[in-house]
Every structure is written in structure tokens, then in C-alpha cells.
Amino acid sequence: MNKMTMYWVAVASSLYPDTSAEQLITLKQIQRKHEELFKDALTQSLEQQLISWKRRYSNPKVPAMGGSRNRYLFRTKDGHTPDPSGGFRLYKLSDGPHDSTDKSSGPTCPPRDEVQEQFRYLVDWYTSSYRDLPFDFDNETDADLAEASIDRSDLPLTEKISLFKSRRGQGVFRTRVALAERNCRLTGTTALHFLTASHIKPWKHSTNVERLDGNNGLLLAPHVDRLFDKGFLTFNQAGECMIAPEAIDVCHQWHLSGMGHRPFSPEQEKYMEYHRKHVYRRWIPAT
């Protein structure tokens, strides 16, 4: 393996199997893992090539954009890497909105046949689970940028207000969701004031039409909404609940066994298909 691939393996080994979008590791952790696996210290030049300390923003009005041009880069929580003391993680497909226009189109991870056989499970894990995992900032940077874009647009004020309310599951969106859903699918709760109108396809990834579409929402109890929003559970077309392995214990503790299965309408299913593919956490153990 070349030095860059060895570096990738060291970071992937530190993150595996936890696929949390918020998990970060420090440069010291990366250095220790590299020495543990390969009995060799990282060179400073390689570190600087892979983790850029300098800001490279293509758009100063959008400071979340930028970072190193190298797509082997490990990203800080806010999408760029100006601080060597910060935490890092592997590049994700969902990092695309944070890339500057001069970023190269290199691979997000090394080809499988270029990795030593004992580490190939990391490539399998990355391609099947980690790289597609939605990166949901705690401060919802992506959604904030989308909302700012709406605010700057020429949309009528009433439509802007409806879109802003829909982000929080309020207004016309909540009313429309209640026409398609009558209760929480896992707890059975029917009292609307105890339920959250949750977007199936995340608000920040939806078009303005989808943000107000009642078929793009579920009525969920707050703790179920949290699990659904973070991708710890989803539903198949028949309405059966699918739980990510790392959330099974907490679902048992919360007695979330699911009520009667209720299939989704074709209009709802197109959004559920997106949730299963892009939001739900698929986790593959080592073989």
C-alpha cells in the first residue's frame, strides 16, 4: 500500500464500526493508530497534504465551503480543516455541498485491491455504510444555509414563512401530514399535540415543493422522531419497522415494538425509499 492508503486505513480503523456522523478523531489518535498498524510514524509532509491547515474558500460568503483539494481528506465537523488541533473523520458523499469548485475528483477511499487483504473489510464498510451516511451537523449548518437561500429569494413572504415553519414541522406542512398519517407508527399515540411532524426526506435535501408535501412526513412521538431523523430506524414499504443494530437495545428499553403494520401509499413510498437509501444507518460487521 502507498502512504496515502495506509493513512486512510489508519483513520478508517479508528472510526470503524461506529458510523456516527458526529464521531471525530484527533490527529494524535490518527498518528497512534498508524504506528500501531504499520510500525511507522507519519511524515509531516503527508499530514499537510491530507489535512490542510490553510483555508481555501472559493466563496468567502459561505465559510463552510473549502478545505483541502484532496478527496482523501478527513473533514472537520463544519466541513473544512483549518485547525490541526481539531477532530477529523473520513470524507462522505454528503460533504459535496462543502467542496470548493477547485476540488479534484479523486477517490473518496482507495480501491479495494490496493488495500492489504486484512484491511479490505474497511473498504467494504466505507462503501456500503459510511460514505453514504448523512452528515447532520448539530447546528444544522446545511439547513441554515438552505433557509438563508430561501430568505434571499424572490418567493412571496407567505411562502417563505410556510417553508420556514415546515422545517420545524409546523404550519401547513403539519396539517398536510395529519391528512396522510393518523398516529405514531411505533407508539400508537393519536393525540396530535404530543406528536412531531417529521420530514421523511430531510428538509435540507428537499425541494420547496417536497418541504410542504404532506406525503413527505410522518407523525412521530418525540423520541421516535429523534431515532428516525438520525437514521437509527426506518420502515419498509409494508410499514414494518427496521432498526439499526446500534439502536436495538434502546428501542427495547423504550418498548418500541411497533403497532400494526400499515403500508405506505405510492406517494409516501418515494420518500421512504430515499430515507432507506440515504438516511438509514446500514452497518456491516467485520468478517
Side-chain angles (χ1 to χ4, degrees):
M1 296 190 295
N2 62 34
K3 291 183 178 180
M4 190 177 292
T5 298
M6 292 165 66
Y7 194 106
W8 188 93
V9 167
V11 176
S13 296
S14 299
L15 293 171
Y16 176 87
D18 188 346
T19 56
S20 169
E22 290 80 17
Q23 183 185 1
L24 302 174
I25 54 177
T26 65
L27 180 56
K28 287 186 178 180
Q29 287 176 298
I30 299 171
Q31 291 169 332
R32 286 197 298 267
K33 178 61 70 171
H34 191 280
E35 293 183 10
E36 173 190 333
L37 295 176
F38 307 111
K39 316 303 179 188
D40 187 23
L42 286 170
T43 63
Q44 185 177 7
S45 61
L46 181 63
E47 291 174 1
Q48 292 178 342
Q49 179 184 4
L50 292 167
I51 303 176
S52 171
W53 306 150
K54 298 180 180 180
R55 296 174 184 269
R56 292 177 178 171
Y57 302 142
S58 62
N59 184 351
K61 295 182 180 180
V62 188
M65 297 179 67
S68 169
R69 294 177 176 83
N70 195 312
R71 279 187 181 259
Y72 277 104
L73 177 68
F74 310 105
R75 313 300 292 270
T76 54
K77 194 166 189 177
D78 58 358
H80 56 78
T81 58
D83 183 3
S85 64
F88 300 89
R89 58 176 175 76
L90 293 176
Y91 186 90
K92 292 186 175 74
L93 291 183
S94 51
D95 285 316
H98 304 285
D99 291 344
S100 54
T101 55
D102 64 351
K103 186 176 286 292
S104 66
S105 57
T108 56
C109 81
R112 196 173 187 274
D113 58 0
E114 293 183 9
V115 177
Q116 290 180 7
E117 187 172 357
Q118 66 265 40
F119 299 122
R120 289 179 181 173
Y121 73 92
L122 293 171
V123 178
D124 295 337
W125 160 75
Y126 174 86
T127 55
S128 65
S129 178
Y130 188 90
R131 71 171 182 176
D132 293 323
L133 187 69
F135 182 31
D136 190 7
F137 305 121
D138 287 341
N139 61 3
E140 295 190 310
T141 302
D142 286 348
D144 289 341
L145 291 173
E147 188 165 303
S149 177
I150 292 171
D151 193 34
R152 293 192 301 268
S153 72
D154 296 328
L155 292 172
L157 178 60
T158 53
E159 188 171 347
K160 290 181 181 180
I161 293 174
S162 291
L163 289 169
F164 295 157
K165 286 185 175 181
S166 74
R167 178 181 174 184
R168 292 171 282 278
Q170 299 172 351
V172 65
F173 172 71
R174 180 180 178 85
T175 300
R176 291 175 178 176
V177 173
L179 294 176
E181 293 286 298
R182 60 180 180 269
N183 63 354
C184 173
R185 286 175 174 260
L186 284 189
T187 66
T189 304
T190 57
L192 289 179
H193 54 284
F194 288 119
L195 298 176
T196 298
S198 179
H199 282 86
I200 300 172
K201 181 179 180 180
W203 186 91
K204 62 187 177 183
H205 297 310
S206 297
T207 66
N208 286 343
V209 172
E210 292 172 335
R211 287 165 178 161
L212 297 175
D213 186 357
N215 292 303
N216 186 21
L218 296 177
L219 292 175
L220 300 173
H223 58 314
V224 179
D225 169 66
R226 176 71 176 180
L227 293 173
F228 183 78
D229 181 63
K230 296 296 183 182
F232 286 112
L233 62 82
T234 191
F235 299 91
N236 63 21
Q237 188 171 9
E240 298 170 325
C241 183
M242 302 159 59
I243 301 172
E246 61 265 49
I248 289 177
D249 287 344
V250 73
C251 285
H252 285 165
Q253 292 167 6
W254 285 346
H255 305 289
L256 298 178
S257 58
M259 308 305 291
H261 302 148
R262 188 168 72 254
F264 291 99
S265 69
E267 293 77 17
Q268 290 175 308
E269 173 57 20
K270 69 176 184 179
Y271 294 114
M272 282 306 313
E273 183 179 7
Y274 182 98
H275 189 275
R276 290 192 294 269
K277 183 176 181 181
H278 298 289
V279 182
Y280 180 59
R281 296 170 183 244
R282 296 174 298 280
W283 183 82
I284 307 297
T287 55

